């Protein structure tokens, strides 16, 4: 594996790990920075000179099972003290029944019963899980409203659910029949709420229901519903009643999107070798010396690097693995041109931008590495040369570019997640915990780098007012002239508490998130601007974490009683999920998240407005997920 590594001078040695090989020096004399409004050819240059050196990593081949013959391991017997260790106590705390979390214990029990419901056929015997006298509303609405969208997408919503006299297996078969097209529909349940209060042996759960069919005729259909399930019995619960709270069907005439990954990357072997392995695979082969972290958090950038009118993609990766530049060909496939373009850095890289920094008509590259924010100039054909690196952000995560001062060139906002690197080399959440969890102010410092032309940049964060509320564990930021006054405003999304909306008034910023109604104290991951209601004003969608367990636990009396700080409501908000803020006529925003049904984006990361079916209205696309393992019920 060949790539570029970096070795830094003592000026930035505290930010490095062992074994880097990129040479830096001071790029120019730093001048006093009193204002941000400096145009091209003026202003200080704070970039360090950077020179890259190519190295080749020697891989240690994995042993075949046959080659392990005769290899013995040591076995050391450790006598038991019969006392619980700290690890035993931690494990016990995760066992709902043992730790006294009756709500979670019952959730596990009913989840097992609901899995039987999901697999039931029309003639199944469910008498073992249904209480005698079981009552249920109809699972299919008696009154429906249909809307046909562009592309033949049919939306069916239910408004009335009468009582039903048929047995539950038959009801389930009828429900599946609404979407089946020659192949049995799959059914999944997720318990997102549980109420144990004042009901003796009775309790109720709120359950998200998903029924999906991939018919042999090519059509696709899905049902999304919410059920209230009533149960009797705390040791062996049985279903006593069921009520449908909401119902929606979606029917599409064919496959809307197909996974084309393998075809697109068929001529780029590095993609399969490097990108098709999970983080667990690489964490067994690379060390912290390489800055390999199991949380990932590496991003991508899309842009046309060689001016052929086709979008290319730059992929950041963890330390010890080279970043990759995949250039699109005319047939839609891509080629790996990372080494030829001089951009296959081995430093851990969180994010990148493909943007024109010097106004010469081609797309340059910015890479947020563990060492520096690197700036690279494009020669117009997709080959890049290092122009320098800025050391002002010790732990850069995401970046966002805009011309904040209207001087004609793009400036750069860099989000710094954790406060700094610890003495042991770890960063971010691993180095220091956010305190308090729902309103932390001990994160890293974001910076605004003003572009002074000819690849000269300087940190103007303080002078333009962006140091206000600037230590909040930032994941992402998004520029938009939301108030339509001719300059770019900035929304900053923070992982552990309050977000910020910095209104730009002629190049000077003020955080007005609270008065505008968009603080959104949650686990913020991303933000996207778009016109959700078609009124010509920009609205805001914020990606947060939706937690089914959090929605259950934070509403329990046991949880509220344990919170001496009285912050149960704030933590309930953190589990709710994504937020949609719709802008009013006077510039303020109202929270329409629940009314529009856009909160449950699962563990959401990136989110965006995009018109998916070309009907002139902006839809929402949410990328979600987290670390996976072999268990089906993991995160």
């Amino acid at each position: 594996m060949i790539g570029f590594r970096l070795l830094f001078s003592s000026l930035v040695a505290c930010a490095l790990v062992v074994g880097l090989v990129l040479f830096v020096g001071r790029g120019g004399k730093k001048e006093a920075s009193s204002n941000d409004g400096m145009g091209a050819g003026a202003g200080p240059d704070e970039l360090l000179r950077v020179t890259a050196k190519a190295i080749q990593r020697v891989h240690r081949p994995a042993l075949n099972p046959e080659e392990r013959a005769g290899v013995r391991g040591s076995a050391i017997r450790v006598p038991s003290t019969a006392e619980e260790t700290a690890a035993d106590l931690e494990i016990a705390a995760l066992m709902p029944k043992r730790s006294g979390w009756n709500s979670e214990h019952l959730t596990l029990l009913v989840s097992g019963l609901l899995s039987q419901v999901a697999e039931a056929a029309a003639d199944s015997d469910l008498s073992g899980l249904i209480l005698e006298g079981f009552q249920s509303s109809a699972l299919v609405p008696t009154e429906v409203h249909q809307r046909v969208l562009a592309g033949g997408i049919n939306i069916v919503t239910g408004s009335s659910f009468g009582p039903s006299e048929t047995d539950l297996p038959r009801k389930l078969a009828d429900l599946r029949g609404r979407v089946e097209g020659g192949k049995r529909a799959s059914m999944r349940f997720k318990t997102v709420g549980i109420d144990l209060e004042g009901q003796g042996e009775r309790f109720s759960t709120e359950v998200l229901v998903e029924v999906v069919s991939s018919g042999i005729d090519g059509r696709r259909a899905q049902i999304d519903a919410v059920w209230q399930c009533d149960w009797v019995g705390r040791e062996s619960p049985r279903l006593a009643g069921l009520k449908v709270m909401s119902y929606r069907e979606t029917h599409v005439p064919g496959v809307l999107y197909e996974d084309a990954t393998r075809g697109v990357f068929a001529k780029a072997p590095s993609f399969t070798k490097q990108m098709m392995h999970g983080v667990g695979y690489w964490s067994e082969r690379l060390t912290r010396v390489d800055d390999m972290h199991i949380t990932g958090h590496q991003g991508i950038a899309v842009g046309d690097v060689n001016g052929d009118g086709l979008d290319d993609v730059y992929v950041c990766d963890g330390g010890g693995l080279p970043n990759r530049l995949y250039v699109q060909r005319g047939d839609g496939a891509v080629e790996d041109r990372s080494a030829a373009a001089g951009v296959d850095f081995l430093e851990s890289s969180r994010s990148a931008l493909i943007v024109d920094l010097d106004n010469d008509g081609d797309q340059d590259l910015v890479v947020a590495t563990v060492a520096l924010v690197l700036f690279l100039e494009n020669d117009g054909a997709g080959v890049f040369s290092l122009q320098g690196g800025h050391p002002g952000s010790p732990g850069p995560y995401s970046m966002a570019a805009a011309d904040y001062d209207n001087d004609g060139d793009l400036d750069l906002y860099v989000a710094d997640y954790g406060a700094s690197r610890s003495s042991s080399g770890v960063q971010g959440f691993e180095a220091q915990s956010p305190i308090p969890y729902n309103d932390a102010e001990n994160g890293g410092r974001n910076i605004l780098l003003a572009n002074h032309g000819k690849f000269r940049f300087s940190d103007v964060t303080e002078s333009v007012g962006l140091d206000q509320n600037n230590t909040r564990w930032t994941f992402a930021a998004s520029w938009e002239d939301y108030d339509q006054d001719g300059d770019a405003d900035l929304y900053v999304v923070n992982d552990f508490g309050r977000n910020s909306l910095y209104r730009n008034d002629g190049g000077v910023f003020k955080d007005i998130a609270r008065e505008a109604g968009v603080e959104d104290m949650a686990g913020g991951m991303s933000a996207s601007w778009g016109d959700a209601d078609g009124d010509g004003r920009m609205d805001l969608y914020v990606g947060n974490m939706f937690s089914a367990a959090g929605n259950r636990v934070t509403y329990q009396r046991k949880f509220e009683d344990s919170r001496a700080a009285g912050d149960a409501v704030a933590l309930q908000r953190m589990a709710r999920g994504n937020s949609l803020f719709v802008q009013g006529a006077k510039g303020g925003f109202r929270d329409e998240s629940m009314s529009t049904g856009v909160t449950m984006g699962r563990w959401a990361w990136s989110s965006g407005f995009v018109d998916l079916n070309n009907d002139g209205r902006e839809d929402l696309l949410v990328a979600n997920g987290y670390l996976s393992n072999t268990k089906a019920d993991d995160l």
Side-chain angles (χ1 to χ4, degrees):
M1 183 180 293
I2 298 176
F4 285 104
R5 294 213 95 163
L6 322 173
L7 176 63
F8 289 80
S9 69
S10 60
L11 179 64
V12 290
C14 61
L16 305 178
V17 295
V18 177
L20 305 180
V21 280
L22 187 148
F23 300 90
V24 304
R26 178 58 73 179
K29 184 178 179 181
K30 181 179 178 181
E31 303 172 17
S33 177
S34 60
N35 203 332
D36 58 295
M38 299 178 180
D45 179 11
E46 295 179 353
L47 295 193
L48 304 178
R49 295 297 181 209
V50 183
T51 304
K53 180 180 179 182
I55 67 168
Q56 182 168 358
R57 173 183 289 279
V58 178
H59 286 287
R60 181 177 63 186
L63 291 175
N64 294 323
E66 294 80 8
E67 296 175 323
R68 295 186 63 86
V71 178
R72 297 173 180 247
S74 60
I76 302 175
R77 295 184 178 277
V78 180
S80 173
T81 63
E83 297 180 358
E84 288 188 315
T85 65
D88 294 329
L89 296 174
E90 287 293 328
I91 293 172
L94 299 175
M95 298 179 179
K97 188 173 184 179
R98 185 171 175 182
S99 59
W101 281 99
N102 294 330
S103 61
E104 295 306 283
H105 172 62
L106 290 172
T107 296
L108 289 174
L109 292 179
V110 302
S111 294
L113 299 177
L114 288 173
S115 67
Q116 297 180 45
V117 172
E119 297 299 324
D123 56 355
S124 296
D125 181 9
L126 297 180
S127 59
L129 63 87
I130 297 176
L131 192 70
E132 185 177 353
F134 167 77
Q135 298 290 322
S136 173
S137 67
L139 302 186
V140 177
T142 55
E143 298 180 15
V144 297
H145 173 71
Q146 296 192 45
R147 283 190 306 144
V148 180
L149 308 180
I153 300 173
N154 187 20
I155 307 294
V156 179
T157 54
S159 57
S160 178
F161 302 87
S164 177
E165 298 179 359
T166 59
D167 61 294
L168 182 58
R170 174 52 58 187
K171 294 178 190 177
L172 295 169
D174 292 342
L175 180 65
R176 282 197 177 93
R178 295 285 300 181
V179 295
E180 285 180 340
K183 188 184 245 183
R184 190 169 187 263
S186 63
M187 183 177 293
R188 292 189 289 269
F189 298 97
K190 180 183 285 290
T191 301
V192 297
I194 182 167
D195 184 3
L196 307 177
E197 297 297 316
Q199 301 182 60
E201 286 290 298
R202 291 181 171 269
F203 65 97
S204 63
T205 58
E206 181 180 342
V207 179
L208 303 184
V209 182
E210 184 179 272
V211 187
V212 180
S213 172
S214 53
I216 58 175
D217 55 3
R219 289 179 292 179
R220 299 291 189 271
Q222 178 171 323
I223 295 172
D224 295 283
V226 178
W227 291 354
Q228 177 184 308
C229 296
D230 298 322
W231 306 87
V232 173
R234 298 295 179 95
E235 293 300 323
S236 299
R238 299 177 73 185
L239 189 60
L242 191 159
K243 182 179 180 181
V244 179
M245 309 302 293
S246 66
Y247 182 95
R248 183 185 63 199
E249 296 175 14
T250 304
H251 300 263
V252 297
V255 177
L256 295 178
Y257 294 92
E258 293 184 355
D259 185 353
T261 308
R262 292 190 182 276
V264 169
F265 290 92
K267 299 184 184 302
S270 65
F271 182 83
T272 300
K273 292 178 181 178
Q274 181 174 336
M275 306 297 174
M276 295 301 286
H277 292 292
V279 69
Y281 174 90
W282 289 115
S283 65
E284 293 176 349
R285 291 159 174 80
L286 297 171
T287 69
R288 284 194 181 276
V289 172
D290 292 295
D291 266 304
M292 168 57 63
H293 297 270
I294 64 169
T295 50
H297 296 163
Q298 273 74 41
I300 66 172
V302 176
D304 180 9
V305 301
N306 56 357
D308 63 356
L310 302 174
D311 278 338
D312 313 303
V313 60
Y314 186 74
V315 183
C316 298
D317 214 331
L321 296 172
N323 295 349
R324 298 290 185 181
L325 175 62
Y326 294 108
V327 176
Q328 188 178 173
R329 309 182 335 163
D331 60 1
V334 300
E335 295 176 347
D336 183 353
R337 297 189 189 170
S338 316
V343 294
D344 53 343
F345 303 110
L346 291 171
E347 276 64 42
S348 178
S349 303
R350 298 295 190 182
S351 62
L353 291 176
I354 298 175
V355 290
D356 186 1
L357 294 172
D358 53 0
N359 292 327
D360 65 351
D362 55 35
Q363 302 296 298
D364 306 303
L365 179 66
V366 191
V367 185
T369 76
V370 68
L372 299 170
V373 178
L374 299 179
F375 294 81
L376 298 99
E377 183 178 9
N378 191 343
D379 68 354
V383 177
F384 295 86
S385 57
L386 276 165
Q387 298 302 305
H390 197 282
S393 178
Y397 262 52
S398 64
M399 301 180 292
D403 182 7
Y404 86 94
D405 52 1
N406 289 333
D407 66 351
D409 49 33
L410 289 175
D411 310 295
L412 189 69
Y413 189 77
V414 183
D416 192 330
Y417 186 65
S420 63
R421 179 182 292 272
S422 73
S423 58
S424 62
V426 297
Q427 285 182 294
F429 194 82
E430 297 174 61
Q432 177 177 269
S433 297
I435 299 173
Y437 184 82
N438 64 300
D439 196 9
E441 294 274 4
N442 62 337
R445 176 182 179 266
N446 307 329
I447 59 174
L448 176 64
L449 299 179
N451 186 346
H452 304 301
K454 299 181 181 180
F455 284 92
R456 290 197 293 264
F457 291 84
S458 67
D459 181 352
V460 297
T461 313
E462 182 177 3
S463 65
V464 301
L466 285 175
D467 254 342
Q468 180 187 6
N469 301 325
N470 195 27
T471 54
R472 290 182 171 179
W473 297 84
T474 300
F475 250 131
S478 182
W479 295 95
E480 177 61 52
D481 182 12
Y482 84 93
D483 54 1
Q484 301 179 7
D485 65 349
D487 49 32
D489 309 296
L490 181 66
Y491 190 76
V492 177
V493 183
N494 301 312
D495 195 8
F496 299 100
R498 303 169 196 267
N499 296 338
S500 295
L501 173 59
Y502 295 102
R503 186 182 64 208
N504 187 349
D505 295 318
V508 178
F509 294 87
K510 179 182 179 182
D511 186 358
I512 62 163
R514 183 175 182 179
E515 60 189 82
V518 292
E519 266 193 327
D520 199 39
M521 294 175 65
M525 304 293 183
S526 61
S528 178
W529 294 92
D531 186 2
D533 54 358
D535 65 353
R537 291 184 289 268
M538 298 303 287
D539 309 308
L540 179 65
Y541 188 63
V542 183
N544 300 306
M545 294 181 294
F546 172 88
S547 171
N551 276 281
R552 298 189 304 264
V553 167
T554 56
Y555 285 91
Q556 303 308 310
R557 187 176 297 278
K558 176 181 173 68
F559 179 82
E560 294 179 358
D561 291 344
S562 70
R563 304 303 298 181
D567 56 1
V569 173
L571 292 171
Q572 289 166 2
R573 170 63 195 90
M574 292 195 77
R576 189 189 76 176
N578 297 349
S579 299
L580 175 63
F581 297 102
V582 177
Q583 188 178 174
K586 296 182 179 180
F589 294 79
R590 62 185 185 274
D591 188 344
E592 297 286 357
S593 313
M594 299 296 291
S595 62
T596 54
V598 297
T599 59
M600 210 285 279
R602 304 183 188 273
W603 196 303
W605 293 96
S606 181
S607 55
F609 282 97
V610 58
D611 184 1
L612 294 171
N613 60 335
N614 295 322
D615 64 352
R617 292 188 291 267
E618 292 186 298
D619 311 301
L620 287 169
L621 181 65
V622 181
N624 56 52
Y626 199 45
L627 297 176
S628 297
N629 211 319
T630 54
K631 291 179 64 178
D633 59 347
D634 69 352
L635 291 177

